[in-house]
């Protein structure tokens, strides 16, 4: 039996469609559209518990979520199990960039992706036991679903925190990215007119990157990826503004991705499994709730 009846699906899609329209007309660069757990609609007796404290650590996964996959879940769960996570109040932000909002997104619309992100967040939260955090005031993980119109880290991070959503000036953003994204982030061609890395120096002075190894031929093996970061730490990119402190001070840190024997997961494999009608394969690539949503809504069949 489906976890989300058709009527709930329609309501969720309507909510995100309207929220997206409001965001687009506001000219705001960033907004949270939904949160898990959701705030209560009424004030029952006894009154609801006070909201959790603002996070001092915000784990951010910025992706196309087309759709959300178990690879996304692995990245988040790995970060939440790190020693740093256990020492401070934290939240997770699932961030969708919609800078190309004037073009019809394919194959799933933005509102469909946002709905799947909420389903994914609920599935993810169910995997996290309250005992996994050492913070007594934070009994369950808070997950926010947000959108931005800004494509670059140097532009978006000041709008995320401090902000009305995350008011603490000391909140540290930990961006969960893949090695391929790191290479693009440190490519000077994205920073005209100077074409140096100085625009991201303020970002990495305050915030961190948790980088997952990419295990495919296009980006080299683990030794090559370690070498790329080691060169940065040895000061070999200081001539273009790349600071060795980013590595020596662990502002950029490489972490394991897929464990040996685990399924290779990608959004492309999800879409291919759906197109072939292979529900068993689909179940190995996405969470239960996301699988149900995809099948019920008929996504990725074409």
């Amino acid at each position: 039996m489906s976890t989300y009846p058709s009527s709930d699906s329609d309501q969720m899609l309507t909510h995100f469609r309207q929220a997206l329209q409001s965001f687009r007309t506001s000219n705001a660069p960033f907004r949270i559209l939904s949160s898990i757990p959701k705030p209560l609609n009424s004030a029952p007796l006894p009154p609801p518990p006070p909201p959790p404290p603002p996070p001092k650590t915000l784990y951010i996964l910025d992706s196309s979520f087309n759709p959300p996959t178990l690879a996304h879940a692995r990245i988040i769960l790995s970060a939440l199990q790190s020693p740093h996570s256990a020492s401070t109040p934290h939240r997770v932000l699932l961030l969708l960039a919609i800078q190309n909002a004037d073009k019809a997104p394919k194959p799933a619309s933005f509102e469909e992706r946002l709905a799947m992100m909420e389903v994914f967040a609920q599935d993810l939260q169910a995997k996290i036991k309250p005992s996994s955090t050492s913070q007594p005031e934070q009994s369950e993980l808070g997950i926010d679903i947000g959108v931005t119109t800004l494509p670059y880290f140097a532009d978006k991070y000041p709008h995320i925190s401090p902000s009305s959503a995350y008011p603490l000036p000391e909140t540290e953003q930990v961006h969960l990215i893949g090695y391929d994204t790191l290479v693009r982030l440190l490519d000077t061609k994205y920073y005209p007119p100077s074409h140096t890395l100085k625009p991201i120096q303020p970002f990495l002075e305050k915030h961190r990157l948790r980088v997952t190894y990419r295990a495919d031929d296009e980006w080299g093996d683990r030794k090559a990826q370690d070498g790329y970061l080691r060169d940065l730490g040895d000061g070999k990119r200081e001539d273009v503004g790349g600071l060795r402190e980013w590595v020596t001070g662990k502002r950029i840190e490489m972490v394991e991705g897929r464990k040996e024997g685990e399924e290779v997961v990608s959004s492309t494999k999800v879409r291919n499994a759906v197109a072939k009608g292979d529900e068993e394969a689909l179940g190995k690539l996405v969470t239960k709730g996301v699988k149900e949503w995809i099948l019920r809504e008929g996504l990725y069949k074409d």
Side-chain angles (χ1 to χ4, degrees), residues 70 74 257-265 269 284:
L70 289 177
R74 287 174 189 161
R258 180 176 63 90
K259 296 178 182 178
E260 187 175 350
E262 286 185 327
E263 187 84 16
V264 176
V265 177
K269 290 190 70 173
K284 296 178 181 179

Side-chain angles (χ1 to χ4, degrees), residues 26-44:
S26 71
N27 293 320
F30 165 74
R31 180 179 292 178
I32 291 174
L33 303 187
S34 183
S35 295
I36 303 297
K38 288 183 173 297
L40 298 176
N41 294 326
S42 58

Side-chain angles (χ1 to χ4, degrees), residues 90-261:
H90 53 267
R91 288 185 73 85
V92 171
L93 170 63
L94 306 178
L95 187 61
L96 177 66
I98 61 167
Q99 63 266 30
N100 294 321
D102 291 335
K103 298 181 181 179
K106 295 179 180 180
S109 68
F110 286 137
E111 57 262 33
E112 288 169 331
R113 296 186 211 180
L114 288 163
M116 286 189 287
M117 289 162 67
E118 180 163 311
V119 172
F120 170 80
Q122 293 174 354
D123 287 344
L124 188 65
Q125 191 185 60
K127 291 179 178 289
I128 306 293
K129 296 180 180 179
S131 59
S132 66
T133 174
S134 63
Q135 297 296 314
E137 71 273 23
Q138 183 171 334
S139 60
E140 64 180 334
L141 175 68
I143 306 177
D144 301 315
I145 293 130
V147 290
T148 182
T149 56
L150 302 173
Y152 300 119
F153 285 87
D155 297 328
K156 72 180 69 171
Y157 85 88
H159 296 283
I160 296 175
S161 67
S163 65
S164 58
Y166 311 111
L168 297 181
E170 66 268 28
T171 293
E172 181 183 57
Q173 300 174 22
V174 181
H175 291 258
L176 311 177
I177 65 174
Y179 175 77
D180 53 326
T181 301
L182 175 67
V183 172
R184 288 193 293 269
L185 174 67
L186 299 182
D187 190 332
T188 56
K189 75 179 182 181
Y190 294 111
Y191 306 102
S194 64
H195 295 288
T196 72
L197 298 178
K198 289 183 178 180
I200 63 171
Q201 289 179 357
F203 165 64
L204 284 172
E205 181 178 353
K206 183 176 182 181
H207 305 297
R208 292 191 294 127
L209 299 173
R210 184 178 169 89
V211 186
T212 302
Y213 288 102
R214 283 294 300 264
D216 52 56
D217 294 338
E218 182 180 358
W219 299 101
D221 58 15
R222 176 169 175 162
K223 182 178 179 180
Q225 294 174 41
D226 283 337
Y228 178 86
L229 202 62
R230 185 170 54 252
D231 286 348
L232 180 63
D234 289 343
K236 294 182 179 179
R237 301 201 65 192
E238 287 186 336
D239 59 325
V240 292
L243 304 182
R244 65 178 71 206
E245 291 83 7
W246 294 346
V247 178
T248 60
K250 295 188 180 299
R251 310 314 295 173
I252 304 176
E253 184 178 11
M254 299 293 296
V255 297
E256 293 291 347
R258 180 176 63 90
K259 296 178 182 178
E260 187 175 350

